[in-house]
Amino acid sequence: MSRSVLAAALAACLLPALALAAPAAKHPAKPTASPSSKEILDAAPASAWHVPPADTLLYMDVPAGRVVIELAPQFAPAHVDNIRALALGHFWDGLAIYRSQDNYVVQFGDPDADEPGKARPFPAGAKAHLPAEFDRSTANLPFVRLPDVDGWAPQVGFSGDFPAARDPKSGRAWMTHCYGTLGAGRGNPADSSTGAELYVATGESPRALDRNITVVGRVLKGMEYLSAIPRGPAPMGFFTDPVMRVPIKSIRLASEVPEADRVPIEVLRTDTPTFTRLMEAKRNRHDDWYKRPAGHVGVCSVAPMVRTPPAH
Amino acid sequence: MSRSVLAAALAACLLPALALAAPAAKHPAKPTASPSSKEILDAAPASAWHVPPADTLLYMDVPAGRVVIELAPQFAPAHVDNIRALALGHFWDGLAIYRSQDNYVVQFGDPDADEPGKARPFPAGAKAHLPAEFDRSTANLPFVRLPDVDGWAPQVGFSGDFPAARDPKSGRAWMTHCYGTLGAGRGNPADSSTGAELYVATGESPRALDRNITVVGRVLKGMEYLSAIPRGPAPMGFFTDPVMRVPIKSIRLASEVPEADRVPIEVLRTDTPTFTRLMEAKRNRHDDWYKRPAGHVGVCSVAPMVRTPPAH
């Protein structure tokens, strides 16, 4: 085989598992092929998409661009309330991403939080102590269960469109740590997080953290502005040299931003036939490129399905 | 709780799952705590470590630093032979990393491979066609099985210290796609990879690729020089603008490099009590920080365990 043939096929090779932005396949799909993500999403009714409430969206502006974050008050109400108060008080403006550890997390907030004279005070309305919110009752919690086995939890699926897990025996549910998960850093005491110091998972899903720390949301858009930050040279990826830290221009609730300046965004509902079809196509993917369907899909296999709302 | 207490605990918070470089815990471990990775590794006998043969190690030099790669001839003999021939012929020198897709892969080789007049010819000894090596027989294949359930394969574990899976029914084994896995890009035909175009997984383990493409090895060291590359702006993370590509200074077999210039490196053997203890400590981690052991560990949860050999 010539390299030109090899390389001509490059554009079709290593297709991402669920690539909204991927170009159409070079070759027409075989009649037996599973539909592509794009085909499934193009066929979705408008009702398959929803607009997250503006007071659950955070805009984190860093030099590289804007990161759009979705908060999950149904899982971490006290933390989300505190994060809202911190954002309204402009707590993070001028602070920094002070940790980037390969295959683990970036972490941000106040690098001087442990310096009594230098730590930035919390704004009015933000609390210095919160309860741990590692999990919650399954009562009245919508849950779209995946039939697929998971080694870390008895049941996995989606709740409020967030990757989640559930234990029917204990009646508890929690958000799972996937790529792009946002959590609240803490010290040794379970209730030592406030939401002021936050982390985002940037590598293999750190599922061992599940139920050991409070998950507060996930990145919907702009993940690449966090994940490609050079790794910190100090142990655990800390940037001890302030020059290496990535400054945070601002973190704002979308509800505080004039409507004209908001990022138009819709999230695919997981409790829809569209999502079920997407997961099934992903589970048993067979097309010109895939030779052997996995017969499985993981709760962390699917990135947040977002789109810019179509013009009317 | 004051923020100073919160922040003072930051250094202990969000400990990586298996952090060889992590500092000692601030507080003495409770008598009931599981041993730390560092404690287990410090207690390991010299025989728990092995030195990979120099003709299975590649040094990939990019501007940010040196990436050390371990090849797996036991899984992909034809591809590894071809990669050796390409390295000996200095095929990659001056070529580039031409793709960086968030939460998926970086890919490198000849960006002009599909331009008949511009494609770089293969050096003598390198073949233009190879068989697909998606899996192999389990016969005579050492396999350290994990007891943990895996959704993607009937059995998972380690073989030649590489993360791997096995299907007793079909008698086949394969390397699993984990963070840092090195594979050979291909077009639609199963046997269209040559090892000239390679990719490294840089996000959530893309396990759906297992048995759909030839895995040839893994990154042992320097992963951060690949994973932190800014993502490409074109679909699937391609850098269509040559200026954005990351140049490859050279890729060499360690066996071709004078001994004095080699990277001293040892890899922890997975068929040792030390490794079993490490996995168990990881599976049921309980210490001052972890409140709830996961009771599970994944085949991709553990990064390659490497060290610089101690001075004698």
Side-chain angles (χ1 to χ4, degrees):
Chain A
M1 197 204 66
S2 72
R3 276 178 315 292
S4 64
V5 172
L6 164 71
L10 273 180
C13 94
L14 278 178
L15 276 167
L18 202 48
L20 288 178
K26 284 193 162 185
H27 310 285
K30 291 177 196 162
T32 55
S34 53
S36 71
S37 299
K38 186 179 181 308
E39 287 165 346
I40 293 170
L41 292 172
D42 283 351
S47 60
W49 298 89
H50 79 106
V51 180
D55 69 346
T56 64
L57 293 178
L58 285 179
Y59 298 156
M60 176 181 181
D61 286 349
V62 291
R66 172 166 287 182
V67 183
V68 179
I69 289 167
E70 184 182 14
L71 299 170
Q74 67 275 37
F75 280 98
H79 281 76
V80 168
D81 271 352
N82 225 37
I83 288 168
R84 285 175 175 142
L86 289 161
L88 290 173
H90 300 184
F91 172 75
W92 289 287
D93 298 13
L95 293 180
I97 299 170
Y98 51 73
R99 178 186 183 192
S100 172
Q101 180 172 358
D102 195 54
N103 193 18
Y104 201 43
V105 295
V106 292
Q107 192 167 327
F108 55 94
D110 184 359
D112 295 320
D114 58 348
E115 304 283 338
K118 293 169 75 183
R120 181 173 292 194
F122 277 16
K127 294 176 182 165
H129 183 261
L130 301 177
E133 296 176 302
F134 296 174
D135 59 10
R136 57 153 283 170
S137 165
T138 53
N140 304 314
L141 183 73
F143 194 87
V144 178
R145 188 180 171 187
L146 285 178
D148 308 270
V149 69
D150 179 84
W152 304 89
Q155 298 181 2
V156 289
F158 298 87
S159 183
D161 307 331
F162 290 87
R166 201 168 62 165
D167 179 5
K169 262 195 226 166
S170 65
R172 307 298 292 177
W174 58 96
M175 286 194 283
T176 57
H177 277 84
C178 297
Y179 188 88
T181 288
L182 177 77
R186 66 165 173 85
N188 283 342
D191 60 353
S192 57
S193 58
T194 64
E197 312 303 318
L198 295 164
Y199 64 90
V200 172
T202 57
E204 165 75 11
S205 302
R207 296 284 306 278
L209 293 176
D210 290 2
R211 285 193 283 178
N212 275 293
I213 197 161
T214 299
V215 176
V216 297
R218 61 170 172 173
V219 173
L220 289 183
K221 203 173 176 172
M223 186 61 198
E224 65 274 23
Y225 304 134
L226 302 178
S227 57
I229 292 172
R231 286 25 177 168
M236 301 167 64
F238 281 95
F239 298 113
T240 41
D241 180 353
V243 172
M244 300 184 73
R245 294 175 187 148
V246 177
I248 298 170
K249 291 159 73 177
S250 65
I251 297 183
R252 291 282 181 279
L253 277 169
S255 51
E256 284 295 291
V257 171
E259 283 211 38
D261 298 334
R262 294 185 194 166
V263 178
I265 197 165
E266 291 183 346
V267 179
L268 185 68
R269 299 178 66 104
T270 57
D271 58 350
T272 56
T274 297
F275 190 77
T276 305
R277 274 196 291 273
L278 260 180
M279 293 305 271
E280 178 53 25
K282 198 167 165 52
R283 186 181 291 115
N284 287 307
R285 190 163 178 171
H286 53 108
D287 55 25
D288 287 334
W289 195 89
Y290 275 88
K291 309 303 177 190
R292 180 192 292 269
H296 177 79
V297 69
V299 68
C300 289
S301 298
V302 55
M305 300 281 86
V306 300
R307 71 169 184 180
T308 303
H312 294 293
Chain B
M1 197 204 69
S2 73
R3 276 177 317 292
S4 64
V5 172
L6 165 72
L10 272 179
C13 94
L14 278 178
L15 276 167
L18 203 46
L20 289 178
K26 283 192 165 186
H27 309 285
K30 289 178 198 161
T32 55
S34 54
S36 71
S37 299
K38 186 178 182 306
E39 286 165 345
I40 293 170
L41 292 173
D42 283 350
S47 59
W49 298 90
H50 81 104
V51 179
D55 68 345
T56 63
L57 293 178
L58 285 179
Y59 298 156
M60 175 180 183
D61 287 348
V62 291
R66 171 166 287 181
V67 183
V68 180
I69 289 167
E70 184 182 14
L71 300 169
Q74 67 275 38
F75 279 97
H79 280 76
V80 168
D81 270 353
N82 225 38
I83 288 168
R84 284 175 175 142
L86 290 161
L88 290 173
H90 299 183
F91 172 75
W92 289 288
D93 299 12
L95 293 179
I97 299 169
Y98 51 72
R99 177 187 184 191
S100 172
Q101 180 172 358
D102 195 54
N103 194 16
Y104 202 43
V105 296
V106 293
Q107 192 167 326
F108 56 94
D110 184 0
D112 294 320
D114 59 347
E115 304 284 338
K118 291 171 74 182
R120 181 173 293 195
F122 276 15
K127 294 175 181 164
H129 183 261
L130 300 178
E133 296 176 303
F134 297 174
D135 59 10
R136 55 154 286 171
S137 166
T138 53
N140 304 315
L141 184 73
F143 194 86
V144 178
R145 188 180 170 189
L146 284 178
D148 308 86
V149 70
D150 179 85
W152 305 90
Q155 298 180 0
V156 289
F158 298 87
S159 183
D161 307 331
F162 290 87
R166 200 167 63 165
D167 179 4
K169 262 194 223 163
S170 65
R172 307 299 292 177
W174 59 93
M175 286 193 283
T176 56
H177 277 82
C178 297
Y179 188 89
T181 288
L182 177 78
R186 68 166 173 84
N188 283 343
D191 60 353
S192 57
S193 58
T194 63
E197 313 303 317
L198 295 164
Y199 64 90
V200 172
T202 57
E204 166 75 12
S205 302
R207 295 285 305 278
L209 293 175
D210 289 2
R211 287 193 281 181
N212 275 294
I213 197 161
T214 299
V215 177
V216 297
R218 60 170 172 173
V219 173
L220 289 183
K221 203 173 174 171
M223 185 62 197
E224 65 274 23
Y225 305 134
L226 302 177
S227 56
I229 292 172
R231 287 28 176 164
M236 300 167 63
F238 281 95
F239 298 113
T240 41
D241 180 353
V243 172
M244 299 185 74
R245 294 175 188 149
V246 177
I248 297 171
K249 290 159 74 176
S250 65
I251 296 183
R252 292 282 180 280
L253 278 169
S255 51
E256 283 296 290
V257 171
E259 283 211 40
D261 298 334
R262 294 185 194 166
V263 178
I265 197 165
E266 291 182 346
V267 180
L268 185 69
R269 299 178 66 104
T270 57
D271 58 350
T272 56
T274 296
F275 190 77
T276 306
R277 274 196 290 272
L278 260 179
M279 293 305 272
E280 177 54 25
K282 201 168 161 51
R283 186 181 290 115
N284 286 307
R285 190 161 178 172
H286 53 108
D287 55 25
D288 287 336
W289 196 90
Y290 275 88
K291 309 303 177 190
R292 180 191 292 268
H296 177 78
V297 69
V299 68
C300 289
S301 298
V302 55
M305 299 280 89
V306 300
R307 71 168 183 181
T308 303
H312 294 293

